[in-house]
Amino acid sequence: MRKHGVKTYLRAWRKRHFTERQWLLLISFIIGILSGIAAVILKNTVHYTHSFVISRFDVSKVNIFYFAIPITGIILTVLFVKYIVKDNIGHGISKILYSISRGGGVLKAHNTYSSLIASTLTVGFGGSVGLEAPIVLTGSAIGSNIGRFFRMSHRNLVLLIGCGAAGAVAGIFKAPIAGVLFALEILMLDLTMTALVPLLISAVTAAVIDSLFMGKSAAFVFEIVSPFYLKEIPWFIILGVFTGLVSLYFTRVNMKVEAWFSGIEKEYKKFMIGGIALGILVFLFPPLWGEGYDSLKTILNGRGIELTNNSLFYYIRDKHWFFLGFLALIMVFKVVAMAVTTGSGGVGGVFAPSLFMGGVSGYFFGLLINKFDFINV
């Protein structure tokens, strides 16, 4: 009775002091704060888990822990989801879209924290997936639960879900405009001033919160040291075609591998097969560990050769063609590692792996054409 009394009092207080529009703007600000804090928590927990796990690795040696640790992460995630959450977390974006289209805007309360914990266990222990989908589901769940608590209209409830998603994307990338565009395009919200202002409030607030705790530095920092020449345009066109084919491969292999895992009925078989496969892939190709952002930063800093650290390729990395072959194998197996991570019970998204694939593809292409000195032909 006391709980229902508090709810009734808060709802009555809101109706006495705020119009629906005023309350919507205030709630979008609160959602921005909470989704920004969630993004900060997720980035830090994954970072410190990752640092703790690999703190004693010798980069010049092949390390068997690259095989064992990802399996541990998958098992911990499966146990957490099955025995604590007791619900299917699944792919975050699809769950949000289902909630908007058929679920009445309802996202369960555990979605405000369960994806944070599960993705930390998966990615922090080396699962080859991204954090964007879990944080978007978290932000959207925050918006959904706050909106339902105050009995907002269905239209405004959906908008608050979008505010949570926009805040989550803005917080994880420090990019408020990207957060707003994500909510409008992916969640297919109406592009009206009524929707745009709350989305902007949430996105900007979350980005500010992230900057306060994490600093203003961008995820990827690089400097262009050579000028651009018009004669290079054809090579960029070819690069676009190449990366387009890579994306086609990425999508089709992901769908096939996940479909194969969905056909396995017994859960223990899924995480055993997936965990072992992931462990083998990460052991052979350490850059497949986690999101892949560290590998992209290494490439952008001009130290791409360090991708071979802890791998069987470490002592032959100075041989140009062996290194190119190593990069090609990374591109081939990244999507497989990602799909077996999610298919076996890990929690994460596909956005970061797709960025990784694009970055490595560009690096591979650049090394290849530079090897033959095509630019100066």
Side-chain angles (χ1 to χ4, degrees), residues 32-341:
I33 294 175
L34 296 177
S35 58
I37 292 174
V40 170
I41 291 173
L42 181 59
K43 287 195 285 188
N44 278 282
T45 54
V46 171
H47 170 74
Y48 286 114
T49 301
H50 169 81
S51 299
F52 173 77
V53 167
I54 67 169
S55 59
R56 299 181 181 277
F57 284 16
D58 181 353
V59 298
S60 66
K61 297 179 180 179
V62 176
N63 202 311
I64 194 65
F65 285 109
Y66 270 119
F67 173 77
I69 292 174
I71 300 176
T72 304
I74 295 294
I75 293 174
L76 291 174
T77 304
V78 170
L79 292 175
F80 170 74
V81 172
K82 184 174 182 178
Y83 294 105
I84 299 179
V85 178
K86 298 179 181 179
D87 188 21
N88 178 29
I89 297 178
H91 290 294
I93 307 301
S94 59
K95 187 173 286 292
I96 298 169
L97 293 174
Y98 181 85
S99 169
I100 293 174
S101 61
R102 296 186 179 183
V106 176
L107 289 167
K108 296 181 179 179
H110 73 73
N111 289 128
T112 60
Y113 65 86
S114 57
S115 292
L116 294 180
I117 299 173
S119 59
T120 296
L121 294 174
T122 299
V123 180
F125 280 79
S128 196
V129 287
L131 297 173
E132 291 75 22
I135 193 60
V136 168
L137 177 57
T138 299
S140 296
I142 291 172
S144 173
N145 282 274
I146 291 178
R148 287 190 294 119
F149 179 86
F150 289 104
R151 294 181 178 175
M152 306 290 284
S153 66
H154 180 265
R155 180 173 180 175
N156 286 337
L157 180 60
V158 171
L159 180 54
L160 291 179
I161 292 175
C163 287
V169 173
I172 204 81
F173 290 116
K174 295 190 184 74
I177 301 302
V180 173
L181 292 176
F182 176 90
L184 293 173
E185 292 291 331
I186 304 301
L187 304 186
M188 295 176 286
L189 302 180
D190 294 331
L191 182 56
T192 62
M193 190 58 65
T194 303
L196 189 59
V197 173
L199 291 173
L200 281 170
I201 291 174
S202 293
V204 172
T205 303
V208 170
I209 291 294
D210 187 81
S211 296
L212 287 175
F213 286 97
M214 304 295 293
K216 297 181 180 180
S217 61
F220 301 110
V221 180
F222 61 93
E223 181 181 357
I224 299 176
V225 296
S226 58
F228 172 77
Y229 298 101
L230 289 178
K231 67 178 182 178
E232 297 175 357
I233 289 180
W235 294 111
F236 286 97
I237 296 174
I238 296 174
L239 174 62
V241 174
F242 175 64
T243 52
L245 294 174
V246 170
S247 68
L248 181 64
Y249 165 79
F250 181 91
T251 302
R252 290 189 174 180
V253 171
N254 179 45
M255 293 175 63
K256 288 183 178 180
V257 175
E258 287 199 344
W260 184 80
F261 270 98
S262 64
I264 302 175
E265 296 181 358
K266 296 182 179 180
E267 290 188 11
Y268 76 90
K269 286 187 177 180
K270 285 185 179 182
F271 71 74
M272 287 302 296
I273 294 173
I276 292 173
L278 177 63
I280 292 173
L281 288 173
V282 174
F283 172 73
L284 294 175
F285 306 102
L288 300 183
W289 174 289
E291 295 177 282
Y293 286 163
D294 288 341
S295 296
L296 291 182
K297 292 176 183 177
T298 299
I299 292 173
L300 290 172
N301 290 330
R303 307 193 315 271
I305 200 73
E306 293 180 10
L307 295 179
T308 57
N309 288 353
N310 286 124
S311 75
L312 299 172
F313 296 80
Y314 182 82
Y315 293 105
I316 58 174
R317 62 185 185 173
D318 293 328
K319 300 181 184 299
H320 189 83
W321 289 109
F322 280 103
F323 184 62
L324 283 176
F326 175 74
L327 294 177
L329 290 173
I330 289 176
M331 290 189 289
V332 169
F333 289 116
K334 176 61 177 181
V335 61
V336 179
M338 178 195 72
V340 299
T341 300

